[in-house]
Amino acid sequence: MGSRRFSGGRRSPAVLRQSLGHRQPPGLRVLLAPLALCASALLWMPGLAAAQENPVLLEALSVLPVEGPESNQPSGLFVHNDTLYTVSDKHDDTIFRIELREDAAVFVPHIRFDAPKPFGVFRLDLEGITRDDDGSFYLASEGAFAILKVDADGKQASWVTTSLREVGASAGLFQTRGGYLEGITLMAPDRFLVTAEREPSGLIEVDMAPVQRIVEIANHGSTESYTGLHREVENVYILQRSTATIRRTIRYLDVDSPSTIWSFAHIVNDPEYLYQHEQFGAKTAEGLALDRDRVYVILDNNNDARRMYPTDHRPLLLIMKRPG
């Protein structure tokens, strides 16, 4: 299944069909037509396209247990000036910074804030985090289906967008409970890209200048879980939790476009780091950040214990060498 765009519909690889039909006699065209259609469908399945690529295996520099508050469930990651920031989907009032120590990554409250809850929303369920040049943070709220702005000093918190639930659902997103807003990144001032997590996964770009406007919605319909985003100039990096991979793409709203895949599956699948009820990174990778030299991925293990250490329920932070 190819990308379904809210503003354009599905593309089809007509070139293959036209070349086969143009060169062959009419009788043979009838026989070949079903084969061409099948080939077209296979070529435009996003999961197959990804599987045909040879992923770059990321090198682990450090894998640190995460220590923090009770019920700590990290979700989202952002790096600025060598400092990592995150939120927890069980803490609706705190942005944490992560202190990297030799034997642990420690959550330290960075900003506490009081966010107004929209009508009918009992828990914000903060999932993604990004930051602008002025130091303000922007958080993706799964509970509110909206983006929350927290000023640099934490004194003011306000909703940047209205609920994106209805517009996302109209494009076929947000169909699975718990598969709502997850990742967020800034594309430009007042312009955001957010992920619809899964079943189906997709992306929503929203521009807030001068008023809220949906730029585009892509329903990728794939089995991937999009749980994190990072942007660098024209490149967008998508954390794909289902396969423990990171997709780097220029045409970020099209999973069929040329892209590079980085994999950390071999790391999270190591017996040292496997959790009791999770395999191959599924349902654990929740946040992505990159700097010049490193790739950071944080895992949310939902309080699950590691197989080799049944009393250790801590999440993990992966610090990996960034490919050249």
Side-chain angles (χ1 to χ4, degrees):
M1 181 186 300
S3 298
R4 299 178 193 165
R5 295 177 182 271
F6 185 67
S7 56
R10 182 189 294 181
R11 299 178 299 166
S12 60
V15 175
L16 175 61
R17 295 197 298 272
Q18 288 174 356
S19 63
L20 286 171
H22 181 72
R23 298 180 182 179
Q24 304 297 339
L28 186 57
R29 285 205 300 268
V30 174
L31 294 175
L32 289 177
L35 296 177
L37 290 172
C38 291
S40 300
L42 288 173
L43 287 172
W44 287 84
M45 288 177 63
L48 183 62
Q52 291 174 337
E53 298 165 352
N54 294 319
V56 176
L57 301 184
L58 294 173
E59 175 187 347
L61 300 175
S62 185
V63 178
L64 297 174
V66 175
E67 297 181 352
E70 185 178 358
S71 299
N72 182 27
Q73 294 188 11
S75 187
L77 204 59
F78 183 81
V79 63
H80 177 72
N81 286 343
D82 298 324
T83 300
L84 288 166
Y85 299 92
T86 189
V87 288
S88 166
D89 55 18
K90 299 299 183 184
H91 297 80
D92 282 354
D93 61 355
T94 307
I95 294 172
F96 299 92
R97 68 177 184 274
I98 302 177
E99 289 188 358
L100 300 180
R101 302 177 183 175
E102 186 174 347
D103 59 350
V106 181
F107 274 30
V108 177
H110 177 68
I111 292 176
R112 295 193 186 278
F113 57 89
D114 184 16
K117 288 185 173 63
F119 178 77
V121 175
F122 299 100
R123 191 166 67 88
L124 298 185
D125 193 357
L126 301 175
E127 294 289 349
I129 180 170
T130 191
R131 179 185 180 275
D132 65 18
D133 292 338
D134 296 329
S136 296
F137 290 94
Y138 299 87
L139 313 178
S141 167
E142 187 170 31
F145 289 84
I147 298 172
L148 178 71
K149 178 181 179 180
V150 179
D151 288 352
D153 57 9
K155 292 183 179 179
Q156 184 173 352
S158 57
W159 293 101
V160 174
T161 68
T162 57
S163 173
L164 301 174
R165 183 169 194 170
E166 183 175 347
V167 69
S170 69
L173 302 175
F174 305 146
Q175 301 301 303
T176 303
R177 182 177 180 180
Y180 304 147
L181 282 190
E182 191 76 20
I184 183 173
T185 192
L186 266 173
M187 302 301 292
D190 297 315
R191 191 160 177 158
F192 303 90
L193 186 68
V194 294
T195 67
E197 180 186 342
R198 59 186 169 85
E199 298 178 44
S201 56
L203 299 167
I204 302 174
E205 187 174 3
V206 55
D207 192 346
M208 299 307 301
V211 296
Q212 181 172 323
R213 176 177 67 92
I214 299 299
V215 178
E216 193 161 15
I217 298 181
N219 176 350
H220 288 155
S222 72
T223 57
E224 295 287 359
S225 273
Y226 295 167
T227 55
L229 288 172
H230 173 83
R231 182 193 67 86
E232 290 180 357
V233 193
E234 76 278 11
N235 288 315
V236 170
Y237 298 78
I238 304 174
L239 178 61
Q240 301 181 139
R241 180 175 61 189
S242 305
T243 52
T245 57
I246 299 162
R247 175 181 290 271
R248 184 185 70 184
T249 180
I250 294 177
R251 296 176 60 189
Y252 56 87
L253 288 181
D254 190 349
V255 291
D256 300 317
S257 63
S259 57
T260 300
I261 302 294
W262 297 343
S263 176
F264 56 92
H266 56 292
I267 300 173
V268 293
N269 202 37
D270 188 300
E272 177 80 10
Y273 307 121
L274 274 177
Y275 288 99
Q276 290 183 357
H277 299 98
E278 309 295 349
Q279 294 181 358
F280 209 60
K283 301 182 181 178
T284 55
E286 287 274 348
L288 169 69
L290 288 83
D291 60 22
R292 182 175 180 179
D293 301 313
R294 295 176 176 83
V295 178
Y296 306 89
V297 171
I298 199 161
L299 309 183
D300 176 8
N301 59 314
N302 290 298
N303 204 39
D304 196 13
R306 287 160 66 185
R307 294 185 182 184
M308 292 183 64
Y309 310 96
T311 62
D312 189 349
H313 294 260
R314 293 174 295 179
L316 292 172
L317 174 68
L318 315 182
I319 304 176
M320 299 165 286
K321 182 179 179 180
R322 181 167 177 161

